[in-house]
Amino acid sequence: MKKYFPHLLIVVCVLWLFASWRSPKNARGFNAEGFGRFPVLVEGRIKPIETAARNALLIMRGKQTFRQGATGDGKEIKLTAVEWLMDVVMRPSVADDYKVFLITNPDVLGAAGLDSTQGKFFSLNQLKSKAVDLGEQARTISSVAPELRNPFQKELLKLTGNLLLYQRLRHSLHRDETTEFSRELGLYQGAIKPGIEAVQNRQAGQAHNEQDLKLISDFFNQYSFLAESAYLYPVPHAMDQQWQTIGSSLLATMKSGTLDPAVSFYAAIVDTYRKNDVPGFNNAVERYKNYLESNFGGFLSKVQSESVFNHLEPFYKAMVFYVLVFILALLSWMTWSGPLGRAAFYLLVLAFIVQTAGLGWRMYLQGRPPVTNLYSAAVFVGWGAALLGIFLERLFRNGIGSITAAVMGFLTLLVAHHLSGDGDTMEMLRAVLDTNLWLATHVVVVTLGYSATFLAGFLAILYIVRGVFTAALDPLTRKALGRMVYGVICFATLFSFVGTVLGGIWADQSWGRFWGWDPKENGALLIVMWNAIILHARWGGYIKERGLMVMAVFGNVVTSFSMFGVNMLGVGLHSYGFMDKAFFWLALFVVSQLVLMGLGMLPLRLWRAFIEPAPGKKRAEEEALAAV
Amino acid sequence: MDRILRSLLEWITSLKLTIICLGLAMVLIFVGTLDQVNLGIHAAQKKYFESLFVYWAPAVLPFKIPVLPGGYLLGTILLVNLVAAHATRFRLSWKKSGIFLLHSGVVLLLLGQLLTQLFAREGQMSIDEGKRKNYSESFELSELAIVDTSASDHDEVVSIPTTRLARGEPIVHPLLSFVVKPVRYFRNARLTSRAKEPQGEASLATEGLGPKVVTKELPVTYNPKEKNMPTAFVELSHEGKTLGTWLVSEALVATQPLSIGGKTFQMQIRPTRSYKPYWIQLLDFRYDRYTGTSVPLPRNYSSRVRLTNPSKNEDREVLVYMNNPLRYDGETYYQASFDDKTETTTVFQVVRNPSWILPYVSCTLVGVGLLVQFLIHLVSFMRKRTVPA
């Protein structure tokens, strides 16, 4: 049993990995999953409706699913993101009661006429009465420079932004007053020719049919509004940047006379959903899917792939695995060290494979190298650390590589998770970043350098914690850790230097100067210099093992400042930056590292591990050391 | 004496000095980065990285105290330290080959950066669609330009740097038949029409646009979004007789005409121009956005230009866009930005950097050196690692 424990564990984990392949069935029988897999253009990128729904819900509510506790007469409501979006887009009167807006700031609650006793989620209907006031406030706040806004102002703008997003979603497929969209489209098509004739007659100063004129003007105004305010661009086109909103496609119909098939399909979908016609809806979804397969197969298969990616949630699952690895590795130091150690290692490799698959999948979906924004940088830092950790564990087989990789994998994925709250993590890149060559070289290399600096720091933390609080820092482990940290810092120096230089070359090609002393560049330089200082100090004998560890921990401070602190410079120092969440966590992290450094600098006689061990044990250790 | 020299040499070649300097450099970079929030990138660069010392000038004291060594001082000490250490203490060996390579790369990098800071020139060129230009403008330097427009086929430009105006001494030039004497000079000022501010202070100017304008000195701004407007009152005199006092300012967009000694001139303070022997005409500026974005996100912006160099008989079209500059005649034109209101004006960053290749060479040296040294360590590391019993 003990022998097969690691293998059993892996089997169970792999099964769990694929369990969420499909989304839960819709309670009323609608093929919501099929609808969620339709491609739309949002924020410059073609994605499945499901991603747009998840992102919108994440921005408004802070979670990718919707849940509302049982109210007086109703039951508890549980919806997937797509199901929620379907109601917003097609049954707004129902959706307006969903408590989807997250508001926690007391001043904002006050401005909205609400209070925290009502909970932290609110529906559109609860906010409707104060919507105009909030809009006024937002207008005055926008004239204040972003760096100088206080938390109330920032949160209020966030709320009005969310309200706007909600409205735009609402007007994405049809005007919510429409009773039967398909019929309306028929009426519209019939009204075009007589309507245009009436307009031309009036312009020429001749007699015209007033009714025809009014009909076409009404349609024109309504569809113009739809065209401008829609958030989703569902009408496909061979070129991705030329997809249209339903509104603009309908306006184009005025010239061409023909309705885009996609519009008719969506009209059928809207009508059947609103009438609660489950078979009709599912049929319409199937027909549109077939149409997409024949005419826009490339887009369809890519968004279907992204849908699967959304369901599998590889980074979340990797996070869970890392926690398990940590527990297993920790337990392996106390008992059953063989099987538990192996189980930890196998699971670590599985987690790494899952994270690699996730990153690779993202690369395929985006058509980009792995790191394109801060979110993916955090994920990649964890990936790099896991890779190095696996390498170290293979060499030393003492659980240290596993534990450090697990801690770093977990922390980086947690940070990444918190960086994803602003919306699409696979966002499009601005012009200067639109270069796969530099993204693949400079960004990847420098991120690996950061990864290694963090890994050295965490190995050093392990050394300090084990040494000060436990007796488990025997000379063998000390030597191993010393070698590990030194080796990783060499790696870090190489990669952070080369990465920084590649950045300079990119800047030279793009802006005309190799080095401009700007905050991001300075941050990277600080990391290179700190790693270099460590190597020089060790070479000169100014620091030995303990000094190496303490300095490596400071490397965490330098790297976190470089990755996150420089982004806050415009924010943190002018305004009430101490209230800013991200700044708070960064400061907390820095303080924790300084405390650990302080612990590391305590006199050795205070370290538990250095209290004299039993004579028999001491002899055994000396013999083992001599054999090295 | 010998003892002092010997201990000085020991100190200058010591590893301890290297570490101290690197540590101070980190402090300098950190503080300089934070101060950028207040000063803006250019001013912070000058204060921290292009200086011998960083000073602190508290209001209570009449002088300033050096608190940190500046970039030039630290860079020089590090350079001397590195070269001296190699010259005296290092012995050539295969085991240290990587270190030799990378240190020589570091030396080259420091030298290259120094050369760039001394000799590279950056400017900008903004061109409206359809128009053409043959000069770039400095970001920070301004000139009092007196242009002799008498000839019909060419102009002769006398450019007086505003720093000369600040000195207050009379300025004489062979191409000018008159003397320019700065009466007052401000690095930054605000000009308002007298019609809007009838109560304003009387102008020192007696000729030109000056009398119609109220001039108010402003403190120098470091806000990167604002520009300083150098302004001066200058008295012109021809053959000993005064011709009057003019107001000249970068805030005055129009040039002021002069007619002196049978010649006509136009006078203006403007960003210092660097004239080129060729013309660049903007044919078309394109700004592609991503569709369906809440906040406009630029996908690509590009300028199609026509380059004409009459002396070399060159006349060709070039497309300039992000990450794809135009390199011509020792200068490089980068697509920097554009007028975001009209979207028909392109702005190029124009850079002349003769020492551009040094960072590439030095970084290759350091990279290869690090790799070699790292591999040497890795091999011995893997041979010596311990496997627990």
Side-chain angles (χ1 to χ4, degrees):
Chain A
M1 168 57 189
K2 266 210 267 184
K3 203 172 129 185
Y4 294 109
F5 172 69
H7 306 89
L8 275 174
L9 181 68
I10 295 300
V11 170
V12 169
C13 287
V14 170
L15 286 174
W16 179 66
L17 202 55
F18 289 100
S20 62
W21 183 281
R22 302 214 84 97
S23 46
K25 276 202 149 15
N26 175 268
R28 292 179 290 154
F30 285 106
N31 183 3
E33 185 173 329
F35 179 78
R37 288 187 179 200
F38 288 152
V40 286
L41 175 75
V42 175
E43 302 284 358
R45 183 170 86 89
I46 309 256
K47 56 184 78 157
I49 290 184
E50 178 180 3
T51 300
R54 281 173 178 252
N55 288 339
L57 204 50
L58 189 63
I59 292 173
M60 291 189 221
R61 196 169 182 270
K63 290 210 181 353
Q64 291 188 23
T65 51
F66 178 77
R67 186 131 75 90
Q68 187 160 307
T71 45
D73 57 332
K75 347 181 226 120
E76 188 184 315
I77 308 175
K78 266 170 79 152
L79 300 171
T80 62
V82 178
E83 290 168 340
W84 167 76
L85 185 72
M86 281 165 72
D87 279 339
V88 173
V89 167
M90 298 190 274
R91 289 196 306 168
S93 48
V94 174
D96 288 351
D97 274 327
Y98 290 156
K99 298 193 178 172
V100 77
F101 296 100
L102 171 65
I103 314 176
T104 48
N105 183 299
D107 296 324
V108 176
L109 282 170
L114 305 159
D115 65 81
S116 53
T117 57
Q118 298 166 284
K120 36 182 195 164
F121 296 108
F122 300 90
S123 67
L124 182 72
N125 283 338
Q126 286 176 295
L127 290 163
K128 252 216 278 249
S129 51
K130 286 283 190 173
V132 176
D133 289 340
L134 292 172
E136 283 299 322
Q137 290 252 21
R139 233 185 309 274
T140 33
I141 293 174
S142 346
S143 54
V144 177
E147 317 85 65
L148 303 173
R149 293 177 190 154
N150 62 38
F152 161 71
Q153 293 172 322
K154 287 192 215 169
E155 290 296 312
L156 190 95
L157 275 188
K158 232 169 153 189
L159 176 61
T160 47
N162 289 345
L163 284 168
L164 182 64
L165 175 61
Y166 187 90
Q167 292 295 346
R168 291 185 64 193
L169 279 169
R170 223 165 164 226
H171 296 119
S172 282
L173 286 191
H174 72 120
R175 309 175 296 119
D176 39 14
E177 304 84 47
T178 307
T179 47
E180 281 208 33
F181 199 17
S182 307
R183 205 147 63 91
E184 175 185 313
L185 289 179
L187 269 171
Y188 172 57
Q189 278 195 289
I192 293 179
K193 214 156 147 253
I196 293 197
E197 218 177 279
V199 169
Q200 286 171 337
N201 285 340
R202 190 176 73 155
Q203 281 182 340
Q206 298 167 358
H208 60 272
N209 185 325
E210 194 59 41
Q211 253 193 326
D212 289 343
L213 185 68
K214 181 156 187 320
L215 196 57
I216 203 67
S217 303
D218 282 346
F219 274 125
F220 180 78
N221 291 332
Q222 288 154 6
Y223 293 152
S224 299
F225 175 70
L226 262 191
E228 277 170 27
S229 50
Y231 186 66
L232 306 175
Y233 285 55
V235 181
H237 189 281
M239 307 256 314
D240 62 341
Q241 293 302 314
Q242 302 212 18
W243 284 46
Q244 292 180 303
T245 56
I246 299 259
S248 42
S249 174
L250 286 172
L251 288 178
T253 299
M254 247 195 236
K255 295 203 191 86
S256 66
T258 49
L259 213 54
D260 191 304
V263 178
S264 322
F265 284 118
Y266 272 106
I269 287 172
V270 168
D271 286 338
T272 47
Y273 187 72
R274 300 185 92 194
K275 289 195 213 136
N276 232 330
D277 174 8
V278 174
F281 177 87
N282 294 346
N283 178 285
V285 165
E286 189 64 29
R287 283 188 294 125
Y288 185 45
K289 174 166 153 249
N290 294 334
Y291 168 78
L292 284 171
E293 246 164 39
S294 338
N295 298 288
F296 298 99
F299 290 119
L300 184 66
S301 61
K302 209 165 195 189
V303 303
Q304 283 176 335
S305 170
E306 182 171 335
S307 221
V308 175
F309 174 79
N310 286 341
H311 289 163
L312 287 179
E313 295 185 298
F315 298 132
Y316 166 69
K317 302 235 165 81
M319 227 176 22
V320 173
F321 288 161
Y322 283 129
V323 174
L324 274 178
V325 171
F326 178 76
I327 296 174
L328 287 169
L330 208 59
L331 287 175
S332 81
W333 285 346
M334 301 182 212
T335 168
W336 274 23
S337 67
L340 282 178
R342 272 202 307 280
F345 183 67
Y346 291 174
L347 193 53
L348 175 65
V349 173
L350 179 65
F352 177 74
I353 292 175
V354 169
Q355 201 170 349
T356 311
L359 279 170
W361 211 321
R362 281 177 57 100
M363 285 170 68
Y364 159 67
L365 290 172
Q366 270 192 295
R368 293 277 182 205
V371 183
T372 53
N373 53 16
L374 210 54
Y375 169 86
S376 42
V379 175
F380 195 74
V381 167
W383 180 85
L387 180 62
L388 284 172
I390 289 177
F391 184 64
L392 286 175
E393 184 63 28
R394 210 76 186 93
L395 282 180
F396 288 88
R397 297 174 201 264
N398 54 11
I400 291 179
S402 295
I403 271 211
T404 331
V407 169
M408 282 200 64
F410 172 73
L411 283 179
T412 50
L413 286 174
L414 188 66
V415 168
H417 173 77
H418 283 285
L419 287 171
S420 64
D422 284 336
D424 196 2
T425 60
M426 291 195 263
E427 55 198 339
M428 300 304 266
L429 296 175
R430 54 189 48 244
V432 67
L433 293 179
D434 187 11
T435 155
N436 277 353
L437 167 69
W438 293 113
L439 287 175
T441 51
H442 157 65
V443 179
V444 167
V445 173
V446 85
T447 312
L448 281 175
Y450 290 15
S451 210
T453 313
F454 272 131
L455 182 67
F458 276 90
L459 285 169
I461 290 177
L462 196 66
Y463 179 100
I464 293 173
V465 167
R466 258 172 93 142
V468 172
F469 296 115
T470 73
L473 195 69
D474 54 277
L476 235 55
T477 314
R478 281 200 341 252
K479 234 185 160 74
L481 270 170
R483 285 220 173 92
M484 277 191 221
V485 171
Y486 179 69
V488 173
I489 290 193
C490 285
F491 181 90
T493 312
L494 172 66
F495 274 72
S496 51
F497 178 83
V498 173
T500 305
V501 160
L502 285 171
I505 296 178
W506 183 5
D508 191 40
Q509 297 287 319
S510 195
W511 301 321
R513 91 284 185 283
F514 179 83
W515 193 260
W517 300 108
D518 90 32
K520 205 87 191 170
E521 292 170 344
N522 291 348
L525 182 60
L526 285 176
I527 296 179
V528 179
M529 291 181 80
W530 184 247
N531 282 327
I533 289 181
I534 296 181
L535 294 179
H536 282 84
R538 193 172 176 287
W539 185 41
Y542 297 111
I543 52 165
K544 304 264 185 335
E545 209 170 72
R546 189 157 66 108
L548 175 67
M549 299 301 164
V550 171
M551 288 182 84
V553 174
F554 189 69
N556 285 350
V557 174
V558 180
T559 313
S560 53
F561 169 74
S562 172
M563 269 190 89
F564 302 104
V566 292
N567 292 344
M568 295 180 202
L569 276 184
V571 181
L573 297 181
H574 272 324
S575 70
Y576 307 69
F578 291 91
M579 296 305 190
D580 205 63
K581 247 199 337 180
F583 185 82
F584 168 74
W585 284 106
L586 178 64
L588 196 65
F589 178 73
V590 170
V591 167
S592 72
Q593 301 303 292
L594 293 174
V595 165
L596 284 163
M597 284 170 70
L599 277 176
M601 292 197 277
L602 287 174
L604 280 180
R605 58 186 162 76
L606 292 177
W607 289 43
R608 257 199 80 180
F610 285 91
I611 295 168
E612 277 294 312
K617 196 161 177 226
K618 191 168 180 198
R619 240 199 324 271
E621 279 175 0
E622 280 169 352
E623 279 169 8
L625 255 181
V628 167
Chain B
M1 188 59 194
D2 199 32
R3 282 257 294 272
I4 299 176
L5 221 60
R6 176 137 355 129
S7 55
L8 196 69
L9 194 70
E10 220 176 274
W11 173 243
I12 204 77
T13 60
S14 72
L15 182 60
K16 214 170 189 179
L17 182 64
T18 313
I19 295 177
I20 293 177
C21 282
L22 284 176
L24 282 174
M26 281 187 73
V27 173
L28 182 72
I29 293 173
F30 180 65
V31 176
T33 306
L34 292 183
D35 209 7
Q36 275 180 19
V37 184
N38 303 319
L39 297 180
I41 286 198
H42 288 291
Q45 189 166 335
K46 284 206 166 58
K47 179 174 173 187
Y48 290 88
F49 310 122
E50 292 175 16
S51 61
L52 285 176
F53 286 100
V54 177
Y55 295 96
W56 178 47
V60 283
L61 295 172
F63 50 84
K64 42 188 190 173
I65 317 170
V67 286
L68 268 180
Y72 282 153
L73 183 59
L74 276 179
T76 310
I77 297 180
L78 277 169
L79 204 58
V80 170
N81 172 258
L82 185 56
V83 173
H86 268 274
T88 57
R89 286 193 289 113
F90 280 51
R91 253 161 265 297
L92 227 56
S93 82
W94 275 118
K95 244 185 126 192
K96 292 246 164 25
S97 54
I99 304 221
F100 273 94
L101 270 176
L102 78 90
H103 279 168
S104 50
V106 171
V107 168
L108 209 57
L109 191 65
L110 287 173
L111 284 176
Q113 273 309 104
L114 178 69
L115 287 176
T116 301
Q117 268 171 210
L118 292 176
F119 296 119
R121 271 195 315 183
E122 278 181 24
Q124 68 175 12
M125 187 188 281
S126 74
I127 318 177
D128 299 333
E129 248 175 25
K131 303 246 176 62
R132 61 179 194 162
K133 266 202 184 158
N134 64 344
Y135 60 87
S136 64
E137 292 171 311
S138 162
F139 287 113
E140 294 155 3
L141 303 174
S142 302
E143 61 186 10
L144 172 62
I146 304 181
V147 184
D148 182 343
T149 51
S150 320
S152 56
D153 63 341
H154 72 277
D155 290 340
E156 285 175 12
V157 181
V158 174
S159 157
I160 304 169
T162 48
T163 43
R164 287 288 295 272
L165 294 179
R167 284 197 226 157
E169 297 155 0
I171 298 162
V172 186
H173 193 277
L175 281 179
L176 297 176
S177 56
F178 51 92
V179 176
V180 178
K181 180 165 178 302
V183 173
R184 285 208 57 193
Y185 172 76
F186 316 118
R187 263 186 77 186
N188 190 14
R190 188 181 59 220
L191 271 48
T192 11
S193 122
R194 199 165 283 278
K196 292 206 185 106
E197 256 191 55
Q199 310 299 329
E201 202 179 297
S203 177
L204 289 172
T206 59
E207 307 285 333
L209 297 169
K212 303 190 194 111
V213 168
V214 176
T215 309
K216 188 168 183 322
E217 182 177 11
L218 289 178
V220 175
T221 177
Y222 294 109
N223 187 336
K225 297 194 188 89
E226 291 172 3
K227 202 171 188 302
N228 288 303
M229 296 291 171
T231 305
F233 288 101
V234 291
E235 188 187 337
L236 305 180
S237 53
H238 178 61
E239 291 169 354
K241 284 198 313 220
T242 176
L243 299 168
T245 306
W246 271 258
L247 169 71
V248 282
S249 168
E250 200 167 316
L252 283 175
V253 175
T255 60
Q256 298 177 73
L258 305 169
S259 185
I260 303 173
K263 291 191 174 176
T264 55
F265 301 88
Q266 294 286 345
M267 184 167 68
Q268 181 189 39
I269 288 191
R270 61 189 191 189
T272 305
R273 291 187 185 180
S274 161
Y275 283 95
K276 325 271 177 222
Y278 49 86
W279 294 87
I280 296 193
Q281 179 188 24
L282 177 65
L283 298 172
D284 180 34
F285 176 76
R286 280 191 56 165
Y287 179 30
D288 302 321
R289 285 178 191 73
Y290 286 111
T291 314
T293 48
S294 315
V295 181
L297 188 64
R299 186 175 185 201
N300 181 38
Y301 27 102
S302 59
S303 315
R304 176 159 287 282
V305 299
R306 191 153 155 233
L307 173 66
T308 8
N309 191 340
S311 61
K312 291 206 185 134
N313 242 328
E314 269 192 79
D315 188 349
R316 57 187 171 101
E317 280 188 24
V318 183
L319 187 66
V320 180
Y321 54 96
M322 295 302 297
N323 296 319
N324 194 57
L326 160 67
R327 295 179 206 276
Y328 186 73
D329 198 33
E331 307 217 53
T332 315
Y333 290 80
Y334 299 87
Q335 179 71 65
S337 76
F338 57 97
D339 182 334
D340 52 7
K341 293 190 186 57
T342 64
E343 289 182 20
T344 51
T345 304
T346 190
V347 181
F348 292 130
Q349 169 113 330
V350 186
V351 178
R352 176 184 289 277
N353 184 9
S355 59
W356 68 273
I357 199 156
L358 284 180
Y360 289 79
V361 174
S362 49
C363 292
T364 313
L365 281 174
V366 179
V368 170
L370 273 176
L371 196 61
V372 164
Q373 203 59 38
F374 175 51
L375 284 175
I376 293 175
H377 274 300
L378 183 64
V379 167
S380 70
F381 172 78
M382 293 201 56
R383 283 206 202 121
K384 284 202 285 184
R385 61 161 173 76
T386 339
V387 178

